[in-house]
């Protein structure tokens, strides 16, 4: 039997990205000399230095993928910039310092393309993180994330540590946050299309629909995270993104989701709502130098057909429209839902993953913990 030489602790292991890494590891990407440990806030509140230290003492990781963060969409950021700053600064400092003190060999943390300067030239690359203020809507989250890069350089220079970070664009996939007020744009739109279909009303998209975004499928990101952990040796961060040519406008994203969910109603743009940063087009040239052949799962409208065959958030949402029943991982029935019952059943709130079916035929699906209406 192969001896385990790498103990990989994944903070934020129950979130959108953490769940994707769990799936990719379980589906065969894990190696025999690796033990993967996925933790959430139930295992330790990482804003607490003592709980973080105890977590590291308990698991004795050799490697860390650090995902845990206070995360949210545009409108949650606008409301809570101070909370984003304080929570994330505490989490990041506790995790990086505990990793240093316990002799962790490598840490890969997670930044985001939304932390880049607002006024900038395009495409944005890894060298430009600190070149100017971020967009005012999410300055708390952005500055806290930028400080991870500062700390990585410090731990490298002063202590020779291999602490680095990746910079993903907007992520989508199973286990996303479907809350309309607080979640990210795609799951929010999916939820709104679901409600608009139920009530026969128009689909109201917040903002002008003109801002542009690059979206990365969470399972693609998971594979890239594992590559960075094993192969990428720089302290400087690396952007993990689809190409510049794959950027889509919010209008195009809304139209694609409406089409995939067979919504035939009107699209209305509520221009009283903020657009956030207009665009943050990122270059994946550095990633392409390392991995020229990496295939991304496509998002574009013309490829929605193939997306519907892929287990991901969009086909999930389509399955959601007429569920008859759902069960948890143990096979226990959590809810029976008549077609058109008018809203998500509350037990969904408590289900972290499971399966559900149309009549007797189960469809492959996992339930998002955040898929709650109201
Ligand atoms: N989603 C995106 O579009 C996107 C884009 C770029 C970068 N990122 C970055 O990717 C990383 C993962 O994001 P995500 O979308 O997967 O987030 P998510 O779905 O909101 O999950 C957040 C994770 O962090 C954990 N967590 C939050 N506060 C914690 C605390 N005080 N102590 C311990 N654990 C805590 C949560 O645990 P519980 O389940 O127990 O709450 C959960 O596992 C984050 O660093 C984020 O900044 C995300």
């Amino acid at each position: 039997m192969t001896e385990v030489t790498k103990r990989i602790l994944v903070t934020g292991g129950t979130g959108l990205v953490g769940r994707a890494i769990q799936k990719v590891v379980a589906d065969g990407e894990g190696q025999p000399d690796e033990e993967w440990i996925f933790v959430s806030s139930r295992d330790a509140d990482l804003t607490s230095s003592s709980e973080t230290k105890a977590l590291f003492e308990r698991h004795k990781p050799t490697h860390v993928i650090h995902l845990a963060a206070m995360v949210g969409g545009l409108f949650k950021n606008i409301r809570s910039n101070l909370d984003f700053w304080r929570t994330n600064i505490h989490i990041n400092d506790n995790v990086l310092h505990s990793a240093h003190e316990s002799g962790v060999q490598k840490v890969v943390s997670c930044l985001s393309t939304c932390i880049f300067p607002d006024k900038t030239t395009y495409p944005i690359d890894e060298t430009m993180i600190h070149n100017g203020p971020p967009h005012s809507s999410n300055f708390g989250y952005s500055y806290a994330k930028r400080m991870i890069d500062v700390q990585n350089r410090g731990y490298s220079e002063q202590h020779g540590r291999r602490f680095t970070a990746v910079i993903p664009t907007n992520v989508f996939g199973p286990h996303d946050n479907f809350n309309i007020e607080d979640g990210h744009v795609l799951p929010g739109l999916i939820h709104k299309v679901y409600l608009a279909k139920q009530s026969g009303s128009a689909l109201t998209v917040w903002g002008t629909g003109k801002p542009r975004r690059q979206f990365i499928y969470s399972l693609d990101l998971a594979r890239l995270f594992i590559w960075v952990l094993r192969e990428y040796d720089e302290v400087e961060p690396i952007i993990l993104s689809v190409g510049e040519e794959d950027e889509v406008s919010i209008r195009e994203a809304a139209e694609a989701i409406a089409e995939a969910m067979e919504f035939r109603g009107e699209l209305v743009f509520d221009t009283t709502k903020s657009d956030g940063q207009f665009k943050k087009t990122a270059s994946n040239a550095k990633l392409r130098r390392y991995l020229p052949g990496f295939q991304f799962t496509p998002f574009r409208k013309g490829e929605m057909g193939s997306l519907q065959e892929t287990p991901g958030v969009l086909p999930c949402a389509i399955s959601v429209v007429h569920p008859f029943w759902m069960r948890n991982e143990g096979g226990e029935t959590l809810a029976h839902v008549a077609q058109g019952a008018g809203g998500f059943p509350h037990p969904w709130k408590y289900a972290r993953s499971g399966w559900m079916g149309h009549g007797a035929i189960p469809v492959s699906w996992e339930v998002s913990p955040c898929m709650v209406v109201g």
Side-chain angles (χ1 to χ4, degrees):
M1 216 171 108
T2 314
E3 193 193 346
V4 171
T5 55
K6 292 182 192 145
R7 293 169 60 78
I8 304 159
L9 179 74
V10 183
T11 72
T14 48
L16 166 65
V17 182
R19 286 283 187 156
I21 296 177
Q22 279 195 48
K23 178 161 173 51
V24 166
V25 167
D27 286 352
E29 284 285 331
Q31 292 179 351
D33 64 343
E34 293 172 348
E35 181 186 351
W36 288 79
I37 305 149
F38 294 87
V39 292
S40 72
S41 62
R42 289 185 189 184
D43 300 279
D45 176 1
L46 299 174
T47 60
S48 151
S49 60
S50 58
E51 287 193 34
T52 310
K53 199 172 169 194
L55 181 80
F56 276 74
E57 281 166 2
R58 195 156 65 243
H59 292 293
K60 300 188 175 28
T62 57
H63 296 69
V64 172
I65 291 182
H66 172 39
L67 304 173
M70 180 176 178
V71 176
L74 170 66
F75 297 94
K76 185 174 173 186
N77 272 275
I78 289 174
R79 285 199 313 275
S80 318
N81 267 296
L82 177 66
D83 296 343
F84 274 93
W85 160 261
R86 295 196 69 226
T87 304
N88 288 324
I89 279 289
H90 286 306
I91 290 177
N92 298 335
D93 187 53
N94 289 334
V95 168
L96 293 178
H97 202 61
S98 291
H100 164 60
E101 286 194 318
S102 59
V104 168
Q105 292 166 26
K106 184 164 180 181
V107 179
V108 182
S109 298
C110 197
L111 312 182
S112 166
T113 51
C114 65
I115 71 164
F116 278 108
D118 182 33
K119 295 191 174 34
T120 183
T121 53
Y122 297 101
I124 303 170
D125 69 38
E126 292 85 351
T127 66
M128 297 157 77
I129 297 177
H130 304 284
N131 283 2
H135 192 265
S136 58
S137 59
N138 66 349
F139 66 89
Y141 176 82
S142 300
Y143 279 119
K145 285 283 185 189
R146 288 182 186 190
M147 291 308 112
I148 290 180
D149 181 56
V150 171
Q151 287 188 260
N152 285 347
R153 284 162 203 271
Y155 282 112
S156 169
E157 281 181 24
Q158 268 185 249
H159 301 291
R161 294 280 178 223
R162 276 195 308 157
F163 291 1
T164 190
V166 300
I167 313 178
T169 46
N170 293 51
V171 187
F172 72 101
H175 301 287
D176 212 336
N177 178 356
F178 287 80
N179 186 297
I180 290 174
E181 291 287 333
D182 291 345
H184 289 113
V185 57
L186 288 188
L189 282 170
I190 289 166
H191 190 156
K192 283 188 195 173
V193 171
Y194 170 79
L195 295 178
K197 276 190 78 158
Q198 285 225 318
S199 61
S201 58
L203 167 64
T204 304
V205 180
W206 288 353
T208 61
K210 290 179 183 162
R212 304 184 68 75
R213 298 288 181 261
Q214 287 154 297
F215 293 102
I216 183 168
Y217 186 50
S218 60
L219 297 182
D220 294 345
L221 179 59
R223 287 186 199 96
L224 291 170
F225 249 110
I226 293 170
W227 168 76
V228 169
L229 185 76
R230 291 180 184 150
E231 312 280 346
Y232 179 77
D233 265 335
E234 298 183 33
V235 171
E236 285 72 33
I238 181 166
I239 289 173
L240 303 181
S241 171
V242 298
E244 293 152 54
E245 66 284 2
D246 292 317
E247 195 172 48
V248 293
S249 70
I250 300 300
R251 172 191 280 273
E252 286 167 329
E255 287 171 351
I257 290 167
E259 187 182 315
M261 293 177 73
E262 296 176 355
F263 171 73
R264 316 244 179 266
E266 192 190 354
L267 260 68
V268 176
F269 292 87
D270 179 356
T271 54
T272 63
K273 300 275 194 206
S274 169
D275 267 344
Q277 196 168 0
F278 176 65
K279 65 176 188 172
K280 34 197 174 182
T281 319
S283 161
N284 67 0
K286 184 175 186 178
L287 175 67
R288 284 302 185 201
R289 281 199 296 278
Y290 279 101
L291 295 178
F294 186 84
Q295 299 277 328
F296 286 97
T297 304
F299 174 78
R300 278 194 177 284
K301 193 175 172 183
E303 287 150 341
M304 292 302 287
S306 65
L307 251 180
Q308 286 180 32
E309 302 303 321
T310 311
V313 69
L314 296 172
C316 291
I318 293 162
S319 308
V320 163
V321 177
H322 301 299
F324 282 3
W325 47 260
M326 56 165 289
R327 292 178 184 159
N328 67 10
E329 285 156 332
E332 178 196 0
T333 301
L334 294 174
H336 290 276
V337 191
Q339 193 164 355
F344 291 93
H346 282 296
W348 289 29
K349 187 156 84 179
Y350 308 111
R352 299 206 74 78
S353 68
W355 48 303
M356 63 182 187
H358 296 179
I361 307 161
V363 289
S364 165
W365 201 65
E366 287 182 298
V367 177
S368 165
C370 301
M371 189 171 282
V372 189
V373 171

